[in-house]
Amino acid sequence: MTRTHLLLQEKVTEPVTYEPSRDTIQGMTTKISPQTDGPIRIEGEFEIVDPMGTPFGLAGRTTISLCRCGHSSNKPFCDGSHRKMGFSDAVVARELPPPMPKL
Ligand code: FES
């Protein structure tokens, strides 16, 4: 997850953008690991919100799995259906191309 913050300075009329380091996001440490043939596991400090920004109640969980097979009956969370459905997708870390400039 990438967050961009805008820093407005008094005498500068243009906003200055910067990418905060992991330590500047309120000490947040989060690990996101897509699993081969399975869900996306999230561990650490995180919040999951609906499209309106309302957080899901996670009952104190610090690890959760999000469905990436599309078959869960409890989306966005994994319910194990990926096994029954034979979901298959290998996960290998790779470099992404640079982001396209925003217009
Ligand atoms: S990844 Fe587990 S149900 Fe979709």
Side-chain angles (χ1 to χ4, degrees):
M1 170 171 42
T2 301
R3 293 183 183 195
T4 302
H5 294 248
L6 296 178
L7 174 64
L8 300 175
Q9 298 177 340
E10 280 183 20
K11 296 181 181 177
V12 177
T13 56
E14 294 179 29
V16 177
T17 62
Y18 70 97
E19 296 293 323
S21 71
R22 177 175 267 185
D23 292 337
T24 62
I25 305 175
Q26 301 171 350
M28 180 181 286
T29 303
T30 306
K31 181 179 177 183
I32 300 173
S33 50
Q35 304 295 300
T36 293
D37 304 335
I40 297 171
R41 182 176 298 148
I42 304 174
E43 302 167 77
E45 296 179 45
F46 58 85
E47 181 177 48
I48 301 175
V49 299
D50 71 11
M52 299 301 290
T54 304
F56 285 85
L58 302 177
R61 287 175 175 81
T62 58
T63 300
I64 204 154
S65 294
L66 297 180
C67 177
R68 71 181 186 106
C69 76
H71 294 288
S72 175
S73 59
N74 190 29
K75 293 182 192 78
F77 306 104
C78 171
D79 69 356
S81 295
H82 58 273
R83 286 187 214 99
K84 278 190 301 201
M85 302 307 292
F87 177 66
S88 176
D89 186 55
V91 178
V92 178
R94 61 191 178 276
E95 296 292 325
L96 297 178
M100 299 292 286
K102 293 185 178 166
L103 302 176

